[in-house]
């Protein structure tokens, strides 16, 4: 199955304050900061990658924290909810932790026969912790506060909100190899059989929905995973053949990327497993150094001075 789309690779969202973002994802949620780098197009802004121990594709949530950026608004043409897989029986503990730490959480609810807990991060980004029907065998990152019985395993689903789902569904089924597996009201669940986890995409149809605005607290793009750049280029051809525009291959240091806007308005990326996050830091030191793209290494002192100081908890 190596020539398939292997589920989700990463999701990238926008935040405001870098320290607040770092504290929330590492302390409150217990994720590992696996890479601390800067925005390729704007080296005065951080780019944070949070994931499991090694930043395995399917576990990676990344942020551009833009100090002082206004709040965005979820709406159509966007990824509007990130679903993380968590262990069975952990949701009550999570609800307790969120109450204790003042996190804006909703009520426990059920979707497609699975219990979930919706909440928002400090910028208003919508996330859900979901107990999957099938045992998720991925190992979560452990911290002082979050042990294996609560740790986030990685992505379960991403939800895309669309005025019409048909054309987006066609990209998922005809190009990416997903199939429609369930429907509840206006929510349509698509799944790939190529991987056991991070294999779901929900399309939420809202014909009267307002178009979203991309700023703090909203998702910027959704990256799908391929094994390597040879497979990636085969998908590039398929996407061009379908009549959509797509970028050339871009080297992102930790993976190679292609970007295209799917017909419903969501920015999609196709990202490779190679070379991965250990290309410039050993596994046990991931996220502990400020890593700069090669073209900025010469201006390191200036860049370090311009970036906000980040304190570890
Ligand atoms: Zn990306």
């Amino acid at each position: 199955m190596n020539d398939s789309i292997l589920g989700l690779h990463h999701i990238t969202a926008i935040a405001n304050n870098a320290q607040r973002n770092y504290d929330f994802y590492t302390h409150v949620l217990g994720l590992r900061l696996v890479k601390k780098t800067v925005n390729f197009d704007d080296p005065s802004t951080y780019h944070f990658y949070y994931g499991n121990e090694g930043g395995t594709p399917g576990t990676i949530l990344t942020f551009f924290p833009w100090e002082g950026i206004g709040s965005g608004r979820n709406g159509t043409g966007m990824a509007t909810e990130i679903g993380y897989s968590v262990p069975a029986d952990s949701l009550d503990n999570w609800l307790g932790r969120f109450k204790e730490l003042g996190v804006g959480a909703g009520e426990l609810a059920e979707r497609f026969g699975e219990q979930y807990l919706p909440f928002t991060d400090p910028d208003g980004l919508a996330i859900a912790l979901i107990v999957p029907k099938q045992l998720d065998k991925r190992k979560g990152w452990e911290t002082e506060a979050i042990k294996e019985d609560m740790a986030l395993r990685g992505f379960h689903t991403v939800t895309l909100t669309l005025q019409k789902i048909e054309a987006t569904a066609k990209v998922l089924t005809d190009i990416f190899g997903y199939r429609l597996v369930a429907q509840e009201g206006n929510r349509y669940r698509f799944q790939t059989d190529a991987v056991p986890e991070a294999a779901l995409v929900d399309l939420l149809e809202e014909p009267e929905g307002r178009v979203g605005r991309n700023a703090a607290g909203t998702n910027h793009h959704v990256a799908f995973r391929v094994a390597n750049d040879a497979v990636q280029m085969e998908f590039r051809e398929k996407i061009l053949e379908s009549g959509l525009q797509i970028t050339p291959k871009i080297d992102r240091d930790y993976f190679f990327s292609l970007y295209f806007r799917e017909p419903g308005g969501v920015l999609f990326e196709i990202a490779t497993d190679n070379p991965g996050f250990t290309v410039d830091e050993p596994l046990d030191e991931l996220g502990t150094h400020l890593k700069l793209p090669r073209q900025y290494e010469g201006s390191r002192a200036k860049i370090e001075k311009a970036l906000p100081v980040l304190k570890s908890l």
Side-chain angles (χ1 to χ4, degrees):
M1 300 292 269
N2 260 356
D3 57 353
S4 308
I5 293 286
L6 306 171
L8 297 170
H9 184 284
H10 66 270
I11 298 172
T12 293
I14 300 173
N16 186 333
N17 183 263
Q19 183 76 51
R20 191 173 66 172
N21 178 266
Y22 172 80
D23 291 347
F24 187 81
Y25 285 93
T26 59
H27 173 64
V28 178
L29 292 188
L31 297 177
R32 185 180 194 196
L33 179 73
V34 292
K35 197 61 67 180
K36 180 169 62 173
T37 178
V38 295
N39 187 330
F40 271 64
D41 304 313
D42 170 16
S44 65
T45 301
Y46 281 119
H47 191 184
F48 294 153
Y49 293 78
Y50 303 103
N52 66 358
E53 182 184 19
T56 311
T59 75
I60 312 157
L61 178 57
T62 99
F63 285 92
F64 296 119
W66 268 304
E67 203 65 43
I69 191 177
S71 293
R73 187 189 64 231
N74 260 351
T76 59
M78 267 186 162
T80 50
E81 187 192 82
I82 296 165
Y84 271 105
S85 163
V86 291
D89 304 320
S90 67
L91 291 181
D92 285 332
N93 290 337
W94 276 111
L95 191 57
R97 180 168 178 78
F98 288 161
K99 279 193 178 142
E100 187 189 313
L101 298 173
V103 175
E107 314 249 300
L108 288 174
E110 201 175 295
R111 209 155 58 194
F112 298 118
E114 295 174 328
Q115 274 233 311
Y116 74 101
L117 173 63
F119 66 99
T120 52
D121 88 350
D123 288 298
L125 188 72
I127 308 176
L129 300 180
I130 305 167
V131 176
K133 272 186 214 161
Q134 280 175 331
L135 183 70
D136 187 334
K137 297 203 177 102
R138 294 174 293 181
K139 197 176 159 4
W141 175 246
E142 292 191 47
T143 65
E144 276 299 306
I146 309 292
K147 300 299 178 196
E148 188 59 23
D149 62 340
M150 277 178 78
L152 276 58
R153 303 293 205 245
F155 296 134
H156 170 281
T157 337
V158 66
T159 299
L160 314 181
T161 301
L162 305 157
Q163 280 175 345
K164 285 192 171 64
I165 69 157
E166 199 182 339
T168 306
K170 222 168 137 55
V171 171
L172 292 178
T173 56
D174 296 5
I175 303 177
F176 285 3
Y178 283 63
R179 62 196 168 87
L180 179 66
V181 290
Q183 182 195 349
E184 262 186 23
N186 61 340
R187 180 178 288 270
Y188 298 78
R189 173 154 291 181
F190 292 80
Q191 180 168 10
T192 174
D193 297 319
V195 280
E197 281 115 14
L200 300 172
V201 177
D202 282 0
L203 302 185
L204 197 61
E205 191 164 58
E206 290 186 356
E208 309 297 328
R210 271 169 95 191
V211 177
R213 192 178 65 231
N214 202 209
T218 61
N219 291 301
H220 186 264
H221 64 264
V222 175
F224 291 86
R225 173 185 184 190
V226 288
N228 55 53
D229 37 334
V231 178
Q232 184 183 42
M233 293 318 270
E234 289 170 20
F235 277 99
R236 187 170 190 277
E237 287 307 308
K238 287 182 198 168
I239 288 154
L240 283 171
E241 277 165 25
S242 78
L244 295 168
Q245 305 278 323
I246 187 163
T247 65
K249 183 170 79 171
I250 299 170
D251 183 352
R252 291 299 189 200
D253 286 352
Y254 310 107
F255 41 84
F256 295 93
S257 296
L258 298 171
Y259 301 86
F260 71 103
R261 203 166 287 280
E262 59 81 27
V266 185
L267 185 60
F268 277 4
E269 176 180 346
I270 298 176
T272 60
D273 277 8
N274 61 308
F277 293 106
T278 51
V279 72
D280 60 1
E281 277 175 311
L283 184 63
D284 60 352
E285 291 175 22
L286 287 182
T288 61
H289 312 277
L290 175 69
K291 306 308 295 188
L292 295 177
R294 282 163 223 111
Q295 65 269 34
Y296 296 130
E297 201 50 68
S299 342
R300 175 176 281 274
K302 208 174 127 204
I303 289 171
E304 284 185 348
K305 230 177 126 189
L307 284 167
V309 176
L310 202 61
K311 292 186 294 259
S312 296
L313 283 173

